[in-house]
Amino acid sequence: MGDSDVMQLYSRRILALTTKIPHQGRLTAPHGSAMRRSPHCGSSVTVDVTMKDGRVAEFAQEVRACALGQASASVLGKAVIGQTRDRLATARDQLRAMLKQDGAPPTEPFEELEALLPAREYPNRHASILLAWEAVLAAIDEAQAKA
C-alpha cells in the first residue's frame, strides 16, 4: 500500500469518527455481552447490551481496533440505542455488501458508514470494520437467550 493509498484509506472523515466513539466502557449489569476479534489484525471489540421490548436500551463498547474498526464502531454507537436486532443485522449486511459486493452504503441512521467506501479495495480490513456489528448482534442473541 503506497503513501497515497494510505492517505485515501485513512481520510480525515474516518479519523474524525475515531475521536468520538460513543458509549465507551462496560455496563455494570448487561443482559448480554460478546467479544469479537479479527484473526487478521488482532483488533477486538467487546459489547454489552441491555434490552427492553426487543430494542437496545443500554449499550457499551470497548474498542481495541484500527482506525477503520474504530470508525465503524463510532457510527454504530451513535445510533444503536433503540434499534432492534433485525435492524442492526440489516445494517451489518448492508455494510458487508458495500465492502465486498460494491453494494450501496447502509441506510439511515447508519449512513455515515459511507466514509468506509475506500476500504473496499482492502479486503484484509473488512473483518475489523465488521467487528462491532458482529459483537452487538452476538450480545443481543445472548440477552434474548437469557430472557
Side-chain angles (χ1 to χ4, degrees), residues 13-130:
R13 196 165 155 207
I14 287 172
L15 295 177
L17 288 168
T18 70
T19 64
K20 48 189 172 189
I21 301 173
H23 306 289
Q24 292 191 76
R26 301 293 305 266
L27 296 179
T28 55
H31 296 161
S33 299
M35 190 275 283
R36 292 294 180 264
R37 183 179 172 280
S38 170
H40 300 292
C41 64
S43 292
S44 67
V45 176
T46 302
V47 167
D48 295 327
V49 296
T50 63
M51 303 295 292
K52 183 175 182 179
D53 300 325
R55 296 182 179 274
V56 176
E58 294 179 286
F59 172 84
Q61 59 184 343
E62 283 188 342
V63 181
R64 292 183 173 88
C66 67
L68 299 172
Q70 290 178 39
S72 182
S74 180
V75 174
L76 171 66
K78 286 180 184 179
V80 69
I81 302 295
Q83 300 297 327
T84 64
R85 188 199 189 286
D86 286 347
R87 178 63 186 102
L88 293 168
T90 296
R92 186 262 331 259
D93 294 346
Q94 290 172 330
L95 175 58
R96 183 184 293 129
M98 180 188 86
L99 294 170
K100 299 179 182 289
Q101 301 161 352
D102 293 328
T107 54
E108 192 176 350
F110 305 110
E111 69 277 4
E112 281 186 285
L113 290 168
E114 184 259 340
L116 296 166
L117 273 169
R120 278 181 176 162
E121 305 302 318
Y122 306 96
N124 60 330
R125 306 296 175 103
H126 296 177
S128 180
I129 292 168
L130 291 164

